[in-house]
Amino acid sequence: MNNEKIMDIRQIMEMLPHRYPFLLVDRILEIEPGVRLKAYKNVTMNENFFQGHFPGLPVMPGVLQLEALAQAGGAFVINSFDEPLHDKVFLFTGLNKVKFRRPVVPGDQLVLNVYYERHKLNIWRMRGIAEVDGQVTAQGEFSAAIADKGDM
């Protein structure tokens, strides 16, 4: 694929504003600007959310799977623009048709697939599918807006 890029955690941190404990994308494997993105999050027992979700039965919260997809979506949008998005932030505006299919547990590698649906002005719509070992864990449709940091 001609437009393929691979980004490590340092490059992701240059692009996304999220930091520990909320940065949920470890590596970007594939990007086709304006088409799709594939990334992953390695899930370890050291994740802080496992302390309370659930003691003795660690399960990654579904909402954090969606957040990981949203962060991958942000990286997708940023890489779909020709010019840098300085002083901009990518904010969730909606979720639709969300389904959770299987638990995500320590030791899993959560693969994050984001697909472009459409955009108009500063609103982007994407479809996200999270998987572990080829099995869908979470999926849904996402919308997000690009906003000026100074307006927040």
Side-chain angles (χ1 to χ4, degrees):
M1 153 182 343
N2 297 347
N3 294 325
E4 186 172 312
K5 297 180 187 178
I6 297 175
M7 293 188 187
D8 64 21
I9 192 65
R10 292 177 305 246
Q11 294 164 303
I12 293 166
M13 289 176 71
E14 289 174 12
M15 184 177 20
L16 297 178
H18 307 81
R19 294 294 179 265
Y20 175 84
F22 214 66
L23 179 58
L24 300 174
V25 177
D26 290 330
R27 182 166 300 247
I28 296 174
L29 302 170
E30 301 171 8
I31 301 173
E32 285 183 75
V35 178
R36 69 181 189 89
L37 176 140
K38 182 176 184 176
Y40 67 76
K41 161 73 177 142
N42 287 318
V43 181
T44 74
M45 189 59 197
N46 293 324
E47 310 290 346
N48 64 353
F49 49 79
F50 286 137
Q51 293 177 37
H53 198 269
F54 301 102
L57 183 64
V59 175
M60 183 178 190
V63 69
L64 292 181
Q65 294 178 55
L66 299 178
E67 175 63 27
L69 282 167
Q71 290 179 21
F76 168 74
V77 171
I78 289 166
N79 280 280
S80 294
F81 273 88
D82 290 333
E83 71 270 354
L85 295 175
H86 300 295
D87 299 319
K88 304 281 186 191
V89 66
F90 193 68
L91 302 171
F92 248 148
T93 58
L95 294 167
N96 292 303
K97 300 180 182 176
V98 171
K99 297 202 183 304
F100 299 103
R101 302 291 187 189
R102 102 183 242 309
V104 175
V105 298
D108 284 344
Q109 184 175 74
L110 188 65
V111 177
L112 308 165
N113 298 287
V114 175
Y115 304 93
Y116 174 82
E117 293 286 319
R118 65 185 176 280
H119 78 277
K120 185 173 184 179
L121 302 175
N122 67 331
I123 304 291
W124 286 68
R125 291 192 182 273
M126 294 161 277
R127 184 171 38 93
I129 300 171
E131 300 174 321
V132 171
D133 295 330
Q135 295 181 325
V136 175
T137 65
Q139 63 190 60
E141 296 173 353
F142 304 85
S143 60
I146 299 170
D148 291 321
K149 287 180 186 175
D151 291 343
M152 298 190 59

